[in-house]
Amino acid sequence: GAVVSQHPSRVICKSGTSVKIECRSLDFQATTMFWYRQFPKQSLMLMATSNEGSKATYEQGVEKDKFLINHASLTLSTLTVTSAHPEDSSFYICSARDGNRPLMNTEAFFGQGTRLTVV
Amino acid sequence: AQKITQTQPGMFVQEKEAVTLDCTYDTSDQSYGLFWYKQPSSGEMIFLIYQGSYDEQNATEGRYSLNFQKARKSANLVISASQLGDSAMYFCAMREGRTGNTPLVFGKGTRLSVIA
């Protein structure tokens, strides 16, 4: 199956610093990428939808100035958590859609996830 | 209102037995897709099975089958011959609309524990 690579898998940062998370589609063109956040023992909640070459669409309650999303190419989307605080500690995971396979019956391919801890 | 409801926070099953994980959904779209994912402790999301709203047959993938009851808006996952490695969180998800460019909406998940 298609591969989505997410990096880093774990990161610990100091409060007030920024952290960048990368999501790459390795063998397909990802015209759309989705960023989710998962708090411990909870479900995945959509943060934003990222389309290549255009501004991301954020879900209600997600601060776009805090969670900067860039999708500059068909294979790379980045999520930058700016001025991180301990409450931003969470599991962040991306998924990518294969632009050449737009049919409904194709699963979203997920990255491995990034566990962010802000101290 | 919840779009995906998983009413079982946790389930136990004996090794080699079958287990059913419940999922009900809510949508007014005629075209939608239902997915099940497995999430082990590592956090990765492993795709298990897909059911389209227009599919007349229940989906099957190896030991996984989906019991799709459209009128009841349920899409239960059945795992046959459980293995210790099946212990994980299981999420039911739905994608609405005709294209694949809409995000998945997830249920709260069910933690499955397989007992030897």
Side-chain angles (χ1 to χ4, degrees):
Chain A
V3 178
V4 176
S5 176
Q6 187 173 340
H7 180 80
S9 58
R10 288 181 180 271
V11 59
I12 300 173
C13 71
K14 289 186 177 179
S15 190
T17 62
S18 295
V19 174
K20 180 184 282 188
I21 302 169
E22 293 187 348
C23 182
R24 293 180 184 272
S25 56
L26 297 186
D27 54 359
F28 65 96
Q29 293 184 333
T31 52
T32 303
M33 287 189 177
F34 304 103
W35 287 95
Y36 295 85
R37 179 168 55 186
Q38 184 181 30
F39 290 109
K41 300 187 188 300
Q42 295 191 25
S43 186
L44 280 73
M45 299 299 294
L46 180 69
M47 296 176 68
T49 301
S50 165
N51 291 300
E52 185 265 337
S54 62
K55 289 184 179 179
T57 303
Y58 290 81
E59 294 299 297
Q60 192 173 10
V62 178
E63 299 174 58
K64 62 181 181 181
D65 294 330
K66 180 168 187 62
F67 299 100
L68 300 178
I69 291 172
N70 183 284
H71 192 166
S73 77
L74 284 171
T75 59
L76 174 64
S77 176
T78 60
L79 167 68
T80 301
V81 183
T82 63
S83 187
H85 290 286
E87 57 264 32
D88 298 324
S89 298
S90 187
F91 186 69
Y92 295 86
I93 191 165
C94 66
S95 72
R97 292 278 301 120
D98 185 338
N100 292 321
R101 299 168 63 191
L103 300 179
M104 282 289 284
N105 61 337
T106 53
E107 70 273 25
F109 302 108
F110 282 86
Q112 300 92 329
T114 298
R115 200 165 299 279
L116 170 64
T117 303
V118 184
V119 297
Chain B
Q2 292 268 351
K3 285 190 175 285
I4 296 288
T5 302
Q6 294 180 256
T7 58
Q8 306 153 314
M11 289 280 287
F12 289 89
V13 65
Q14 201 77 32
E15 196 178 7
K16 300 180 185 176
E17 297 290 311
V19 63
T20 298
L21 306 184
D22 294 342
C23 173
T24 58
Y25 60 92
D26 181 29
T27 181
S28 56
D29 279 3
Q30 296 300 309
S31 181
Y32 52 89
L34 298 157
F35 301 74
W36 277 92
Y37 285 87
K38 173 184 178 181
Q39 188 181 43
S41 56
S42 60
E44 60 184 314
M45 295 294 284
I46 301 169
F47 167 75
L48 297 178
I49 197 166
Y50 168 87
Q51 180 84 42
S53 58
Y54 294 114
D55 294 341
E56 294 184 352
Q57 305 257 17
N58 284 344
T60 60
E61 290 286 348
R63 294 187 298 112
Y64 305 107
S65 60
L66 200 151
N67 184 358
F68 182 44
Q69 298 191 37
K70 195 170 182 178
R72 297 176 64 181
K73 293 189 174 179
S74 74
N76 298 339
L77 176 70
V78 180
I79 305 175
S80 63
S82 297
Q83 302 172 355
L84 294 178
D86 294 335
S87 295
M89 281 292 290
Y90 287 80
F91 290 98
C92 179
M94 176 174 64
R95 175 183 289 143
E96 295 175 291
R98 286 194 163 274
T99 72
N101 293 328
T102 51
L104 297 176
V105 176
F106 288 86
K108 292 187 175 182
T110 296
R111 180 168 296 282
L112 177 66
S113 299
V114 181
I115 306 166

